[in-house]
Amino acid sequence: MITAIDFGCYAIRSGCRRSGRGTSLVVCSERSEYVVLPAVERYRQLLKDDCLVHAECEEFLTVYGNHARRARWLSRMPAARIFSDGMVPQDDPPARQMLDLICTGVLPPPSSGENLCAFTIPGAEGRDVSCRFLSQLIRMRGYEPFPVSAAEAAMLAEGSETSFSGISVVIGAETTELCVCRLGVSLASMRLPVGADWIDIELARQFDIQVFDEDGRAWLDLEAVREWKHQPERSLREPAGERDTVLARLYRAVLTQTAQSVRQLLSGPRVRSVLGEDRLEVVCAGGATRISGFASCLTECLVDQNVAGQVRSVRTVDRPELAVIRGALISAELESRSRQDSRRHAA
C-alpha cells in the first residue's frame, strides 16, 4: 500500500488510490484539535448520546478530530490545537494521544506488499524532533515513513503544465513554505514562521471576536473568524468595510514576507545558474489562498520587491487544501517506483 499523510496544523489528511478504480484518490481528513471535558458521568452520557468519539486521558475526556467541533457547546472554550506553535507537543500527553488516534484513523490498513507512507512535517522549528515522533507513529501503523516537503509536493500535484518547474508557495496555518523547482527537483527552499493563523489571531484581537467560558474568561474565537473569512463575498481587492480592510492589510503583510523570500530564493547562485533568465510561474496552495484577490495581491507584492520580471504569472490552484496531500502521494509513488527499478537492476 502506497499512501501519504499531511500533518497540517489545521487538519491532518491522508491520501491513497482507490483499489480497482484507476487513478481515483481517496482522502481522509480530521481536524488537528481536541476539546477537553471533565471525566464525569454526565459528560460521558452526553458524548454517548451524540455519538461523539472520545478518549479518556487521566481525569479528562477528550473529543478529538472532526468531532471536536460538535463538542464545543459542552466546553464553551475554543478547541485546543494538537500541534502547539506548529510543533509536535512535548509536554502534552493528551495531545500526543490524540495525534496517535487520528493517525490510526486516517491511515488505511497496510497491505502484504510494500507499505510506504510519505508525510509532511508541521512547523518551522523543532522539525527533527517532530520528524522522529511522526515517523514512529507511521511505523506503528505498519508503514515505512518517507518525509517530504509541502512546497515540493504542491509542485508535483499542480505543476504539470510547466513541466514541474516554477515557484511553489504553500500557506499553512502556522507556516508558509516556498521552493523553486526545475523538472520537479527543488533548487532552493525556505520556510517562514507565519501563516493563516497569524491573520486570524490579529483579526480576532483587533475586533474583540471572543467567546466566554463558564467562569467568564474571554478567549479569541478563531473559528468564528475563519467562518467569516471564507465567506464567498470576502475579497482582498474590494474590501466592503473596516474588518475587510484590516483583513486585506494582514494578508498583505504575510504576502510581503512571502515576496521577499521569493526574491531571496531567486537571487541564490544555484537558482541563477540553472534557470538563468527564465520567467517562472508561481503556484499557490493552502486553504488561505482560496480568498478572492489572492493572486493579484501577491503579484503586487512581487512587483514591490522588483522580481516581477522573473515571474510569468501567479496562479492559485483548484481545491488548494488538497494540493499537498495529492503531491505527497505522488512523491511516495515515485519513490516506490524508483526502489522497484533499483531492485530490478540489482537483480
Side-chain angles (χ1 to χ4, degrees):
M1 172 69 74
I2 307 301
T3 187
I5 184 167
D6 176 21
F7 288 104
C9 294
Y10 175 76
I12 297 172
R13 299 181 176 93
S14 71
C16 64
R17 302 292 181 188
R18 189 185 301 276
S19 177
R21 298 292 183 89
T23 59
S24 178
L25 177 66
V26 179
V27 175
C28 294
S29 178
E30 290 282 346
R31 293 281 289 270
S32 308
E33 61 186 24
Y34 63 99
V35 168
V36 177
L37 302 169
V40 296
E41 188 58 32
R42 179 168 66 93
Y43 285 108
R44 287 192 181 92
Q45 188 60 47
L46 287 171
L47 295 177
K48 181 179 179 180
D49 293 343
D50 285 348
C51 299
L52 296 179
V53 176
H54 63 281
E56 295 213 18
C57 302
E58 298 176 350
E59 301 177 357
F60 302 99
L61 304 172
T62 53
V63 185
Y64 58 92
N66 296 337
H67 291 278
R69 187 176 183 183
R70 292 172 54 195
R72 282 187 62 188
W73 69 276
L74 293 173
S75 173
R76 295 183 60 108
M77 288 177 58
R81 283 293 184 89
I82 288 178
F83 296 109
S84 177
D85 296 324
M87 296 183 292
V88 170
Q90 300 301 306
D91 301 314
D92 190 346
R96 291 169 77 93
Q97 182 182 359
M98 298 307 102
L99 186 55
D100 181 34
L101 291 170
I102 291 176
C103 187
T104 301
V106 300
L107 281 178
S111 66
S112 57
E114 180 184 32
N115 293 289
L116 184 65
C117 179
F119 71 100
T120 62
I121 306 168
E125 299 181 359
R127 292 175 61 82
D128 290 342
V129 175
S130 295
C131 183
R132 287 194 295 271
F133 181 77
L134 297 175
S135 295
Q136 181 182 10
L137 290 184
I138 291 170
R139 287 193 183 95
M140 291 170 60
R141 308 284 83 77
Y143 288 89
E144 179 185 350
F146 177 61
V148 298
S149 157
E152 292 179 41
M155 178 59 71
L156 282 177
E158 300 291 345
S160 60
E161 294 182 1
T162 58
S163 300
F164 308 102
S165 299
I167 303 167
S168 174
V169 176
V170 177
I171 300 183
E174 293 281 351
T175 59
T176 296
E177 296 192 35
L178 308 92
C179 73
V180 180
C181 293
R182 182 179 183 274
L183 302 178
V185 177
S186 176
L187 302 176
S189 62
M190 188 174 295
R191 185 176 294 105
L192 306 177
V194 64
D197 275 4
W198 179 82
I199 295 173
D200 299 340
I201 290 170
E202 287 300 312
L203 200 66
R205 284 175 176 169
Q206 294 188 36
F207 289 92
D208 293 326
I209 304 173
Q210 301 173 338
V211 61
F212 296 87
D213 62 20
E214 294 178 352
D215 298 324
R217 291 175 297 183
W219 302 80
L220 296 179
D221 193 350
L222 300 184
E223 189 64 30
V225 172
R226 295 185 190 105
E227 291 177 357
W228 173 84
K229 184 178 69 175
H230 290 300
Q231 291 173 356
E233 60 267 27
R234 298 282 84 77
S235 173
L236 301 181
R237 305 299 301 164
E238 300 177 355
E242 182 182 2
R243 187 185 294 186
D244 294 72
T245 301
V246 173
L247 176 65
R249 177 173 58 80
L250 294 172
Y251 256 93
R252 191 174 186 87
V254 172
L255 295 184
T256 295
Q257 294 185 56
T258 302
Q260 291 171 345
S261 299
V262 169
R263 181 187 64 189
Q264 184 175 342
L265 291 176
L266 292 177
S267 64
R270 187 183 181 198
V271 172
R272 295 178 64 180
S273 64
V274 172
L275 296 177
E277 300 301 320
D278 292 351
R279 298 184 69 186
L280 305 174
E281 181 180 74
V282 180
V283 177
C284 304
T289 68
R290 289 182 296 172
I291 191 168
S292 175
F294 179 92
S296 59
C297 186
L298 178 55
T299 300
E300 289 181 358
C301 293
L302 292 169
V303 171
D304 292 342
Q305 296 300 317
N306 297 316
V307 294
Q310 297 169 267
V311 173
R312 183 170 67 247
S313 62
V314 177
R315 174 172 65 92
T316 56
V317 305
D318 295 332
R319 304 196 70 182
E321 69 279 4
L322 298 182
V324 172
I325 190 60
R326 289 176 52 235
L329 181 59
I330 294 171
S331 182
E333 291 169 340
L334 292 174
E335 175 66 16
S336 176
R337 189 178 307 168
S338 175
R339 293 182 182 186
Q340 292 173 8
D341 291 342
S342 297
R343 286 194 292 267
R344 281 196 295 267
H345 292 154

